[in-house]
Amino acid sequence: MYIMEIIELRGCLEDELIEICRELGIKQFRGTQLFQWVQQKAVLTWDEIRNISKSDLQTLRSRMHLYSLKHVHEQRSKDGTRKYLFRLEDGEMIECVLMDYSRKSARDRHTVCVSTQVGCAVGCTFCATGLEGFRRNLSSAEIVGQVLDITHLVRQEDPDFQVTNIVFMGMGEPLLNYDHVLKAIKLLNHEQGQAIGMRRMTISTCGVVPRIIQLAKDNPQVGLAVSLHAAQDEIRNNLIPMNRRYPLALLMEACREYSRITHRRITFEVALTADNTRREEAAALARLLKGQLGHVNLIPVNPVEGTGMERPNSEKIMEFTQVLEDAGIAVSSREERGADINAACGQLRRLWEGD
Ligand code: SAH
Ligand code: SF4
C-alpha cells in the first residue's frame, strides 16, 4: 500500500510550498501566501489563514501538517527575560528563552535562544541538559516553531513584536543536528518570513570539529560561538567529554580555518567556576588564543544541582579578566539574565519534571 508522506508545514521553504501547490493543482502563488501566513504572521492553526479558499486549504491539509508547540509553562524574570517550556507532539519537552524583552523599548533587539535537540549526547558535567542524556533531534519545523510560537504569544499583548536575533544556545548541540539547524536558519532568514539577518544568528558549539569547517563552507554569514571553558586538555576532558575526540589542538586549528574562510570573529565562551577562575587558567587561555580572530565571553557558571559547580567571587573574575586584557585579548562578560528563573539551559525542564 502506498502511504503518502505528510509534510511538516513549518519546515517548508517558499519554493517547496510552491512546488507542493503545483503538484496538487493549486495556483502557485498560494505557496507564497501560505509561507507568509506560517512564517511571517506565525499562525498556529489552518483556521487562521484567511485569503486562501476553503477547498484549497482542504487539499493542502491532506498533504501537510501544521503543528504548533504546546505552551506548558512560562516564567518571567524581573529583567525582562522570559523562559518558555513547550511540549512537542510526542510528549517531549523543550525550553527556549526570550531575552531583553520590554514593551517600552520596542525597537531594541529581541533575542530568542532556541533548542536544537531534546537532551544532548555530549554530557558536559556542568550542564543540566547534558545530565539528562540524548532523546532525539528536533526537526527544522520544531526549531523554527519555537521562534514562531514565542512571536505568536508575545504579539497577543504587543502586536508589533518581532524577533531580531537568534542564538542556538538552548538544549542540545546544534552541530550534531546540522541539516535541520541549517534549514531552520534558511527559514528564519527568508525575506517572506521572519527575515532575520544571517549575521544576527549565532550557533554555539562544544567543538564538533568537522562540522565547524563544514559550517564555514556552507554558511559563512552566521556567527559562531565555541564553548571553550578550559584551555588545557586535562581540564577540558572532564568538563566536555567531546574534547577526548576533538582535543584543543584540533579545535583551534578548525577555528583558525573557520576565520580564514569567513573572516569572522569567533566568540569563545568560558564558564567560570570557583575552581577554574585562576591566574594560571587565564594565562593558559591567553596562550591558546594568541593570534586567533575572536573574543572571549566570560560567563559565571549557573550552578546546577548535582554538578558541584560553584561561582567564583567578583575579585577572581576581575583578576581573570585582567590577565586576558593584558595579553591583548578582547573580553566581555555575559550579563546575567534570568537568574531568578533558572534560565540556564535545561534547568526549567528538570524542575518541571521534578528530578
Ligand atoms: N551545545 C552547545 C549549545 C548549547 S549550550 C554548546 O555547548 O555550546 C549553550 C551554552 O551554555 C554553552 O556555552 C554551554 O557551555 C553553556 N552552559 C551550559 N550549562 C551551563 C551552566 N550551568 N552554567 C553556565 N553556562 C552553561
Ligand atoms: Fe550539550 Fe552544550 Fe550542554 Fe554540553 S553544554 S551537554 S554540548 S547542550
Side-chain angles (χ1 to χ4, degrees):
M1 192 177 72
Y2 173 69
I3 301 173
M4 197 159 52
E5 189 200 353
I6 297 289
I7 301 160
E8 285 187 293
L9 178 52
R10 285 179 154 185
C12 289
L13 287 158
E14 184 194 9
D15 290 354
E16 293 167 326
L17 292 180
I18 289 173
E19 178 58 23
I20 291 169
C21 284
R22 203 187 53 75
E23 277 171 26
L24 294 172
I26 293 172
K27 291 204 175 69
Q28 294 184 25
F29 72 90
R30 297 286 180 217
T32 302
Q33 288 177 329
L34 192 55
F35 186 82
Q36 288 167 338
W37 279 107
V38 173
Q39 300 290 341
Q40 192 183 77
K41 301 193 178 86
V43 295
L44 301 190
T45 61
W46 291 92
D47 300 335
E48 292 163 70
I49 300 175
R50 284 194 303 273
N51 59 355
I52 302 179
S53 74
K54 285 237 155 24
S55 71
D56 280 353
L57 283 177
Q58 207 49 48
T59 312
L60 289 162
R61 286 177 83 148
S62 67
R63 278 300 306 276
M64 280 184 293
H65 179 49
L66 171 54
Y67 180 74
S68 59
L69 313 175
K70 188 158 179 333
H71 180 211
V72 177
H73 190 63
E74 178 178 333
Q75 285 180 308
R76 294 187 183 189
S77 161
K78 290 190 234 76
D79 66 12
T81 304
R82 293 182 184 189
K83 180 156 183 162
Y84 299 87
L85 186 69
F86 289 116
R87 183 177 290 121
L88 306 174
E89 210 165 9
D90 62 358
E92 294 287 4
M93 307 259 240
I94 50 163
E95 299 174 6
C96 40
V97 180
L98 168 63
M99 289 179 279
D100 307 327
Y101 178 63
S102 120
R103 283 194 70 176
K104 286 188 214 95
S105 55
R107 267 174 286 135
D108 281 356
R109 70 154 109 185
H110 303 314
T111 304
V112 174
C113 174
V114 296
S115 291
T116 55
Q117 299 181 311
V118 184
C120 182
V122 179
C124 299
T125 49
F126 50 90
C127 172
T129 307
L131 293 176
E132 308 262 321
F134 177 69
R135 309 259 186 111
R136 69 171 175 86
N137 280 332
L138 295 184
S139 66
S140 358
E142 288 169 328
I143 299 171
V144 168
Q146 297 164 59
V147 181
L148 299 179
D149 283 2
I150 288 181
T151 300
H152 187 92
L153 285 165
V154 180
R155 278 185 187 167
Q156 286 172 348
E157 48 187 271
D158 179 0
D160 299 326
F161 175 78
Q162 193 69 47
V163 173
T164 61
N165 293 62
I166 304 287
V167 290
F168 293 89
M169 290 188 187
M171 301 169 72
E173 169 49 53
L175 296 189
L176 293 179
N177 187 14
Y178 189 83
D179 293 344
H180 292 164
V181 168
L182 251 67
K183 176 126 192 230
I185 289 172
K186 274 195 195 157
L187 286 159
L188 292 166
N189 176 245
H190 198 290
E191 56 180 13
Q192 301 289 338
Q194 291 287 308
I196 301 170
M198 291 284 182
R199 287 166 180 270
R200 290 173 176 264
M201 298 194 230
T202 301
I203 290 183
S204 175
T205 180
C206 65
V208 189
V209 162
R211 296 294 194 191
I212 291 176
I213 307 286
Q214 198 179 337
L215 182 68
K217 292 179 181 157
D218 291 345
N219 192 339
Q221 300 288 315
V222 63
L224 182 68
V226 172
S227 300
L228 208 49
H229 303 323
Q232 290 149 288
D233 283 323
E234 317 80 84
I235 302 174
R236 199 166 186 270
N237 283 343
N238 292 327
L239 295 173
I240 306 175
M242 175 81 78
N243 193 67
R244 294 175 197 276
R245 181 130 171 237
Y246 303 115
L248 283 162
L250 284 183
L251 177 58
M252 295 316 294
E253 203 179 295
C255 289
R256 280 190 288 277
E257 181 71 355
Y258 176 91
S259 296
R260 198 185 58 74
I261 298 173
T262 65
H263 308 290
R264 302 210 66 190
R265 280 174 188 279
I266 294 174
T267 301
F268 293 98
E269 307 275 354
V270 178
L272 297 174
T273 68
D275 292 336
N276 77 358
T277 313
R278 294 180 308 181
R279 280 186 163 278
E280 304 88 273
E281 262 87 17
L285 192 57
R287 282 195 298 278
L288 187 76
L289 296 180
K290 200 159 185 278
Q292 168 70 46
L293 193 60
H295 82 278
V296 171
N297 189 23
L298 299 175
I299 321 151
V301 78
N302 239 310
V304 172
E305 210 183 303
T307 62
M309 303 273 174
E310 283 176 36
R311 296 184 156 204
N313 62 38
S314 52
E315 266 166 51
K316 280 185 146 189
I317 298 178
M318 272 160 62
E319 191 182 66
F320 197 93
T321 309
Q322 196 60 54
V323 174
L324 292 175
E325 283 178 348
D326 289 349
I329 293 173
V331 185
S332 60
S333 287
R334 188 191 284 176
E335 202 185 310
E336 198 186 352
R337 297 195 191 92
D340 52 334
I341 58 166
N342 292 302
C345 125
Q347 286 186 349
L348 179 62
R349 181 167 166 266
R350 281 187 107 204
L351 284 179
W352 192 251
E353 291 181 344
D355 49 7

